[in-house]
Structures are given as structure tokens and as C-alpha cells.
Amino acid sequence: MSGKYRVAIAGATGAVGVEFLRLIEERKFPVSELRLLASARSAGKTLRFAGKDIKIEELAETSFRDIDIAFFSAGGSISKKFGPIAAQAGALVIDNSSAFRMDPAVPLVIPEINPEACAEHRGIIANPNCSTIIAIVPLWPIHRRNPIRRLIASTYQAASGAGAAAMEELAESTRAYLENRPYQNTVLPHPYAFNLFSHNSKMDPETGYNEEEIKMVKETQKIFGDPNIRISATCVRVPVLRAHSEALTIECEKPITPAEVREILATARGVKLVDDIANNYYPMPKDASGQGDVLVGRIRQDTSDPSGKSIAMFVAGDQLLKGAALNGIQIAEVVVQRGLLAGARR
Ligand code: A2P
């Protein structure tokens, strides 16, 4: 191999797919050939990459011949069907769906936390859930200093997490609302303009938790390598276009102060402190949109825990970037820098 890679993007026209394309160019990921794959609806259209128009092809079983790395972001069922086919054809699949995340044979990776897990891949590496990534990039360096025993998370999730069509529904329904026109939602289950609702993933009637909330619990435990960390989440969709915000409360093993947390996060990778008490300026989705770092602020003692072991904070991160495409590209960068393309397959 010449140090340049043949790359495919499955779901290239989607909200995450176009970010993969943009980031490959922006970060100068070494590409010798780029194959853009989507549904039959998009076949024949073009997307621009490095000053050239590249024709989109319909995703097929033969799409992954002679491909080194395949980024998947076309939904769970497409990943389930075509991911193993791509891996079988010799590509390393970096999958943004939930299809393989909890498979014990598939590494679930956030490069700031567990890059070493990439070495264990057998053809597929999973990109974690967006809310999980945005919460735990700042929590990891705290966890390493003073283990987190419990996390309570409440999310304020943007439309982008449900794809390009949901972003369009938010924009269109808001326009209709302001113009006093009726609007029938078709993508999300409830009216979105000037409203918010419990996350649209499937609810488990027995526990009362939806799939998004369960992902935050299970994926955090897997990535941290700590099945004993206790987590409860409430995931809510809010009328924001593209960055997720989250209120996080952690309980650590030993007492911890806001000053210690600020000191830890000041040098943490992938994190930017936005904690301007004097000006009441804290993480906002408008500021997080378009940047790779997770913004962290409102760092304060949780006064409901008199032991001094608990901290509350507020974070915001771009769901399409660090929550999806950027994390995926960073995984690919770890793989090529460490020579792990073949992984544990051979
Ligand atoms: P297309 O644009 O042709 O429908 P999003 O996450 O923004 O909803 O995007 C989903 C992505 O997955 C799009 O690129 C979409 O392509 C692609 N996709 C959806 N269904 C299929 C399918 N059956 N085969 C291949 N790609 C698909």
C-alpha cells in the first residue's frame, strides 16, 4: 500500500455522509480513490470533493471490491446487511449505526478514550452513539483521576441526530408555524416547531427507558471498560438543528471540587471550557455547531450530595462532527497511523 487508501462512504448524501466527505478533504486523509454510495434515488447525481464532481453510485453487494476503508452511515439495517459484506471483501468498516456496537467482537471506539481497542478489530469498528460520545469525552479524564461511580444525564438533542430529513422537517414546520399554515409531520412522531419531546427511539415498556437512553448506559460501560458504573439518562429531542446539549451529574469515588474539574478539563483532548460565570456564557448548540471540541461549562458542586463527591455540568457538542463523522475519521486516522488496517483478522 502506498500510504493512500481507497475509501467508500455508504450513505454519502446523508447528514453525516456529507460531513465524512468534507472532513476527509479538510483533514487531508490520504485517499487514492473515493467511492460515494447511496440509494437508487441518488445514483447518478454528484457530490463535490477536492474540486471535482464525484458520481454517486447505488449501494450494492459489489460496491466494496478494492476498498480499504468503508465509512457507513445509512442506517442500522443497511449496516447489518452490507457491513459484513464489505468486511468480507477486505474493507475495514467504520460503522456509525448501532448495528454492531454491543457485539463483544467489535471494538467501540472514541480515540480520546480507548484508541488501543482498534487493534482488536476483525473488519468492523463501531462509532458510538452521538449523545454518548458528547457526554463521555469530557468525563473520561475526570474518571481517570477520580473514578466516576454514577452518572445522571439529561439530553437536549438536535434534529440532526434523526438525519437530513428531520432537519428539513424542523425548518419547514417552523416556517409553517410562523406563517400560521398547517404542517403535517412525517419524519418525527410529534410536532417539532416550538416543541420538544421524549426521544423518538423505541421505548421498553418494562423499564420505561427508550433505546437512546439504554445506549448511553451500555456504551459508556463498554468504552470505559467498567460495567459497574451506574447510569440513568433522560433523552429529549429539542428544536435545535445540529448540536446536542446535555446536563450531566456525576458522583465520583472520592470528594472532588469544581476547581479540580476545571483544572483537569483545561488540558483534556477534545474539550473546550466555556464557563464564563461573570458573563453568564456557557455551552450553547449555536457555538458547538461546526467545531470538533465538546464545550463544557456550568461546572459546579452538586449540592444534593453533602459528601462532596458529586459535580454537575453542562456540555454541548456537534452531533454530526464529534458525535458522528469526526469521531469516525479519527478512528480511521488511528488505524492508518498505527498500521492496524488488517487488525486481528490475520
Ligand atoms: P439517499 O440520499 O439516496 O436516500 P440521513 O441519515 O441524513 O437520513 O441519510 C441517510 C443516508 O443513507 C443517505 O445517504 C441515503 O441515501 C442513504 N440510504 C438510505 N436508504 C438507503 C438504501 N436503501 N440504500 C443505500 N443507501 C441508503
Side-chain angles (χ1 to χ4, degrees), residues 213-262:
E213 292 160 353
I214 293 164
K215 285 175 193 172
M216 290 191 73
V217 177
K218 302 272 183 217
E219 294 184 21
T220 300
Q221 291 170 337
K222 179 169 175 176
I223 298 163
F224 276 18
D226 182 353
N228 298 319
I229 181 165
R230 288 170 287 133
I231 304 170
S232 175
T234 302
C235 291
V236 173
R237 193 72 78 185
V238 297
V240 165
L241 269 179
R242 74 171 273 171
H244 290 355
S245 304
E246 306 183 32
L248 306 174
T249 301
I250 53 169
E251 182 189 330
C252 295
E253 207 168 270
K254 296 170 288 183
I256 185 163
T257 65
E260 265 178 273
V261 172
R262 277 191 208 100

Side-chain angles (χ1 to χ4, degrees), residues 11-15 38-39 41-42 59 73-74 78 163-164:
T13 50
S39 77
R41 295 179 289 276
S42 307
L59 175 64
S73 193
I78 297 284

Side-chain angles (χ1 to χ4, degrees), residues 28-242:
K28 300 187 171 49
F29 188 81
V31 171
S32 59
E33 186 192 327
L34 190 58
R35 202 168 291 166
L36 304 182
L37 305 165
S39 77
R41 295 179 289 276
S42 307
K45 294 180 188 163
T46 58
L47 283 170
R48 205 140 178 92
F49 177 75
K52 290 196 190 111
D53 288 328
I54 301 189
K55 207 172 249 180
I56 299 161
E57 299 168 37
E58 182 179 357
L59 175 64
E61 295 194 3
T62 52
S63 297
F64 303 97
R65 280 191 198 142
D66 303 322
I67 288 293
D68 300 308
I69 299 172
F71 296 105
F72 269 71
S73 193
S77 56
I78 297 284
S79 291
K80 272 199 185 109
K81 178 173 176 196
F82 290 95
I85 292 172
Q88 193 64 38
L92 166 65
V93 172
I94 298 177
D95 183 40
N96 193 48
S97 82
S98 61
F100 308 107
R101 288 183 192 144
M102 293 317 297
D103 182 335
V106 174
L108 181 63
V109 176
I110 298 177
E112 289 87 345
I113 301 178
N114 60 340
E116 68 288 344
C118 289
E120 303 305 319
H121 83 79
R122 292 162 191 274
I124 301 177
I125 298 179
N127 209 29
N129 163 269
C130 46
S131 300
T132 308
I133 298 177
I134 289 163
I136 73 177
V137 164
L139 295 186
W140 175 248
I142 301 169
H143 183 67
R144 290 191 65 187
R145 181 88 72 90
N146 185 348
I148 295 170
R149 302 297 6 138
R150 184 170 181 228
L151 162 65
I152 297 172
S154 302
T155 71
Y156 307 72
Q157 296 183 224
S160 55
M167 296 170 81
E168 187 58 29
E169 181 156 292
L170 174 57
E172 269 306 308
S173 60
T174 303
R175 209 169 286 130
Y177 187 101
L178 292 172
E179 290 169 4
N180 215 12
R181 282 187 286 112
Y183 181 89
Q184 183 55 54
N185 47 296
T186 56
V187 182
L188 288 162
H190 302 289
Y192 207 176
F194 303 98
N195 190 26
L196 56 82
F197 45 87
S198 181
H199 193 275
N200 45 295
S201 55
K202 211 167 114 212
M203 178 71 70
D204 175 354
E206 237 166 67
T207 62
Y209 282 90
N210 61 46
E211 281 177 353
E212 185 82 352
E213 292 160 353
I214 293 164
K215 285 175 193 172
M216 290 191 73
V217 177
K218 302 272 183 217
E219 294 184 21
T220 300
Q221 291 170 337
K222 179 169 175 176
I223 298 163
F224 276 18
D226 182 353
N228 298 319
I229 181 165
R230 288 170 287 133
I231 304 170
S232 175
T234 302
C235 291
V236 173
R237 193 72 78 185
V238 297
V240 165
L241 269 179
R242 74 171 273 171

